[in-house]
Amino acid sequence: MGTVTLGVSIAVPEPYGSFLQKRREGFGDPHAHGIPTHVTLLPPTEVDASSLPAIERHLAEVAAAGRPFRMRLSGTGTFRPLSPVVYVNVVEGSASCAWLQKRVRDGSGPVARELQFPYHPHVTVAHGIAEEAMDRAFTELADYEAEWTIEGFALYEQGEDGIWRLERDFPFGSDDVTAAVPRQEGTGIRSSWTGSPGCP
């Protein structure tokens, strides 16, 4: 069956998701159009396609043990010079994100893996672009604020075109994988990843 590249993330819902994605495009990030706004729980991970049913069962179990939580974004941060990333800070909900990602990557599970950097939940708004544009992203979103309740997370698969597409939603407190996380406007995909410390 070959291999597939998977990832797990929390989508940033409307109206925040599209707003930040459009700002990312405006800063000149060439990948922005294919990267809806998100917080990563599992970075891109190559697995055997035959392991998908086990992975979905594992994620359903993680979600069943989870509970909705508030997430608040406020201001900007950067991983420079270690990594060319500017992001919006997760100032509330970080502990819950850390709890989730640790259980998704649990050593006894089907997607056990180590991270290149310590986990640091964030929302990327610029990656790998000119320093002047990175500075502009850092400054222009410095006063940004958003807040909402997280109801679950989702599994995504990377296509041959490099685009990440939704495979399954996993709402908290249930093993039902059919309930939807709010889609971001104008796209059928809800997450992708960029290389950055903690959340590649």
Side-chain angles (χ1 to χ4, degrees):
M1 294 180 66
T3 63
V4 293
T5 300
L6 303 177
V8 179
S9 77
I10 294 170
V12 175
E14 299 301 349
Y16 316 119
S18 291
F19 173 81
L20 290 175
Q21 185 181 23
K22 289 173 183 174
R23 292 308 309 271
R24 185 170 178 173
E25 291 175 349
F27 297 134
D29 191 324
H31 305 295
H33 71 281
I35 306 178
T37 318
H38 68 281
V39 175
T40 300
L41 297 178
L42 176 74
T45 302
E46 187 174 344
V47 301
D48 289 332
S50 61
S51 67
L52 279 171
I55 291 170
E56 291 181 8
R57 286 193 297 272
H58 170 65
L59 294 177
E61 291 172 359
V62 172
R67 295 293 180 269
F69 61 92
R70 296 296 292 174
M71 177 168 284
R72 185 164 67 89
L73 308 180
S74 180
T76 51
T78 183
F79 292 128
R80 293 182 291 175
L82 180 63
S83 184
V85 172
V86 171
Y87 57 85
V88 173
N89 298 306
V90 175
V91 297
E92 184 177 350
S94 293
S96 294
C97 289
W99 182 91
L100 285 169
Q101 64 86 29
K102 184 175 181 181
R103 279 150 185 80
V104 168
R105 296 186 301 104
D106 187 88
S108 64
V111 284
R113 62 163 293 173
E114 296 297 322
L115 297 178
Q116 183 179 2
F117 301 99
Y119 182 71
H120 181 91
H122 65 278
V123 177
T124 298
V125 291
H127 175 238
I129 56 178
E131 286 296 319
E132 295 81 4
M134 300 278 279
D135 292 341
R136 190 160 64 89
F138 186 88
T139 300
E140 292 184 10
L141 291 172
D143 295 326
Y144 184 77
E145 299 276 344
E147 186 174 359
W148 69 95
T149 298
I150 301 296
E151 302 285 352
F153 57 85
L155 172 69
Y156 304 86
E157 181 178 332
Q158 186 179 39
E160 293 183 1
D161 57 1
I163 300 297
W164 291 88
R165 294 179 175 85
L166 174 69
E167 289 298 312
R168 293 286 188 277
D169 286 306
F170 295 90
F172 292 139
S174 170
D175 59 4
D176 177 10
V177 300
T178 61
V181 173
R183 288 185 183 271
Q184 290 178 25
E185 198 171 89
T187 180
I189 54 178
R190 280 176 269 173
S191 186
S192 187
W193 290 267
T194 60
S196 56
C199 278

